[in-house]
Amino acid sequence: MYYTYNMNNLNMKVSGANSFEEKKIIDRVCEYLHMQSPDLFDTSIEDEIKDLCSAKLCDVIGIRCAYNPKNDFFNFFSTIMGEAVCIKLHLNMNIAPNALRLVRYDGINFVNSTYQLLNSEDVDEAFIDAYNLVDRYKHLIERIKKV
C-alpha cells in the first residue's frame, strides 16, 4: 500500500467507516500537526494516526513523491511519534507496544524522548529532530521488532 501526500491532499486506502468520535480524534491530531484532515481513513484509528505522522514527516523533510508508510523505518518512526502525539494530546490510547513505551534501548526511551521534543519545540522541528533520532538508531529496528 503506497500513499502520496501534499499539503492539500492526503490519499489513503479506504477500508471501512469510522465513528464520529474517531473522526474528532483525527481532526484533533490534524489540527495539532497543522495538516488538513483527510477525507478517507485506514482500518483503525491507530493506523490513521501513524499514517498522519508519516505524512507529516514526509512534508517536513521534503518528500513529495509516493512512499510506503508500512516499511520498517516509517512504521518504526510513526509508531514512536504516534504514541508521543497521543500522550501530548491526552488521548487515551496506545499506539506503541510496551517494548517501545517502557523499555530503553542504548539508554534511550524513544517515546519519551520524542514526547520531550514535542514539548520543547515547534511541531515541524520536533519531527525533524525525531527523524534524526530514529535514523541514528535505525539499526535497532530489527531487534525491537523481535521483542
Side-chain angles (χ1 to χ4, degrees), residues 35-54:
M35 298 174 67
Q36 290 183 353
S37 184
D39 294 328
L40 307 173
F41 296 106
D42 210 339
T43 56
S44 71
I45 192 162
E46 292 85 2
D47 286 341
E48 293 165 15
I49 292 171
K50 288 172 57 174
D51 289 343
L52 289 169
C53 289
S54 292

Side-chain angles (χ1 to χ4, degrees), residues 63-100:
I63 295 176
R64 302 284 185 251
C65 58
Y67 64 98
N68 180 3
K70 304 300 182 201
N71 79 22
D72 286 344
F73 182 83
F74 274 112
N75 188 51
F76 187 61
F77 175 85
S78 64
T79 300
I80 293 166
M81 184 57 81
E83 182 72 26
V85 168
C86 287
I87 294 168
K88 176 77 177 168
L89 297 179
H90 305 287
L91 302 176
N92 191 20
M93 66 176 56
N94 290 321
I95 292 180
N98 288 343
L100 277 175

Side-chain angles (χ1 to χ4, degrees), residues 112-124:
N112 188 49
S113 296
T114 303
Y115 173 71
Q116 295 301 323
L117 291 171
L118 290 173
N119 279 334
S120 63
E121 299 179 356
D122 172 70
V123 174
D124 289 355

